[in-house]
């Protein structure tokens, strides 16, 4: 077997298209998981068990079923009920929804780590509950959980190839299509493997640096 640089050159335009799509999926999926995870965490702290119980059941179900099953359900089953979306939209939402159940636990840990004295001080100042959360609790909690959230962003990056199963041509999808068309698998798949390392490893170093800086 010989390495074919010509195949690499031919694949690179597709690689850049796949990389751009991968980063878009990662960005929007992360936003959904961060926002929805915070919503889940806040709902789980409400006094009403009629809110906590359904939220707990839903999030446990999502967290304990495979992302691929959820992706297929959203893409193939929901249209039978009249709910349709593009493959890209479905994939981004599936990743964001799945990881929101993990970021929820991160937020809960961060909120519980806020010293009780902070709650007592807010009560002594007679701050409204919404202002207590917005000004006192959440800024401290989120500062603590940034590194953990970063780890889930890296995990989401490594899960983006799953979207290939519903025709979203991210990096691995483009590599597979190129390989099947040209009967050359080594070069495109090697390029994709290197690309994931080049993105994920520096990101992991950044997360570690943030953890040392913020969690002290």
């Amino acid at each position: 077997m010989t390495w074919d640089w010509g195949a690499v050159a031919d694949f690179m335009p597709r690689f850049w298209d796949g990389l751009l799509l991968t980063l878009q999926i990662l960005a929007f999926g992360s936003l959904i998981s961060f926002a929805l995870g915070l919503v889940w965490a806040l709902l789980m702290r409400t006094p009403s068990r009629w809110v906590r119980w359904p939220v707990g059941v839903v999030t446990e179900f999502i967290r304990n079923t495979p992302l691929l099953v959820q992706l297929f359900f959203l893409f193939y089953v929901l249209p039978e009920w009249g709910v349709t979306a593009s493959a890209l939209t479905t994939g981004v939402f599936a990743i964001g929804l799945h990881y929101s159940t993990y970021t929820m636990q991160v937020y809960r840990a961060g909120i519980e780590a806020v010293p009780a004295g902070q709650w007592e001080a807010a009560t002594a100042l007679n701050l409204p509950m919404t202002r207590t959360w917005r000004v006192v609790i959440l800024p401290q909690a989120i500062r603590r959980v940034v590194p953990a959230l970063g780890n889930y962003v890296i995990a989401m990056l490594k899960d983006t190839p799953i979207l290939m199963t519903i025709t979203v041509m991210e990096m691995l999808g483009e590599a597979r299509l190129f390989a099947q068309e040209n009967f050359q698998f080594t070069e495109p798949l090697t390029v994709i493997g290197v690309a994931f390392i080049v993105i994920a490893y520096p990101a992991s170093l950044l997360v570690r640096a943030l953890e040392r800086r913020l969690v002290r």
Side-chain angles (χ1 to χ4, degrees):
M1 183 188 69
T2 59
W3 182 264
D4 188 350
W5 287 105
V8 175
D10 292 340
F11 172 63
M12 290 311 293
R14 290 191 176 185
F15 165 75
W16 293 118
D17 289 342
L19 175 61
L20 179 60
L21 188 57
T22 296
L23 295 178
Q24 290 175 344
I25 294 167
L26 181 62
F28 289 109
S30 297
L31 289 176
I32 292 173
S33 69
F34 293 165
L36 192 54
L38 181 58
V39 171
W40 294 136
L42 294 178
L43 290 176
M44 287 298 291
R45 292 187 63 89
T46 58
S48 174
R49 66 175 182 175
W50 300 108
V51 174
R52 295 196 311 272
W53 185 82
V55 170
V57 170
V58 170
T59 54
E60 283 296 324
F61 176 81
I62 294 172
R63 188 164 53 249
N64 289 286
T65 53
L67 173 57
L68 185 59
V69 173
Q70 297 165 19
L71 184 63
F72 279 10
F73 183 89
L74 293 174
F75 190 68
Y76 293 111
V77 177
L78 288 188
E80 297 182 3
W81 298 350
V83 181
T84 59
S86 68
L88 178 59
T89 300
T90 302
V92 168
F93 180 74
I95 284 183
L97 176 64
H98 184 79
Y99 275 94
S100 71
T101 61
Y102 294 95
T103 59
M104 175 193 75
Q105 299 293 354
V106 173
Y107 284 125
R108 289 180 66 183
I111 292 169
E112 291 171 0
V114 175
Q118 298 296 309
W119 294 94
E120 294 168 0
T123 302
L125 292 172
N126 200 29
L127 293 179
M129 185 55 65
T130 54
R131 184 172 175 80
T132 297
W133 278 103
R134 181 168 54 86
V135 178
V136 179
I137 304 303
L138 288 181
Q140 296 183 64
I142 291 175
R143 182 177 183 273
R144 287 177 164 85
V145 303
V146 166
L149 293 177
N151 287 326
Y152 283 118
V153 172
I154 297 172
M156 275 187 273
L157 170 67
K158 291 185 287 187
D159 272 345
T160 54
I162 292 178
L163 272 60
M164 176 180 60
T165 59
I166 59 169
T167 73
V168 176
M169 291 295 102
E170 41 64 64
M171 285 196 295
L172 184 59
E174 291 287 1
R176 181 185 178 189
L177 187 60
F178 177 88
Q180 290 175 337
E181 292 174 353
N182 297 276
F183 302 100
Q184 292 176 302
F185 290 85
T186 302
E187 292 80 6
L189 293 178
T190 301
V191 169
I192 296 305
V194 171
F196 274 107
I197 293 174
V198 168
I199 297 171
Y201 184 65
S204 67
L205 295 179
L206 177 60
V207 168
R208 292 175 195 170
L210 284 172
E211 186 170 12
R212 288 194 297 270
R213 183 177 181 84
L214 297 177
V215 183
R216 290 185 295 185

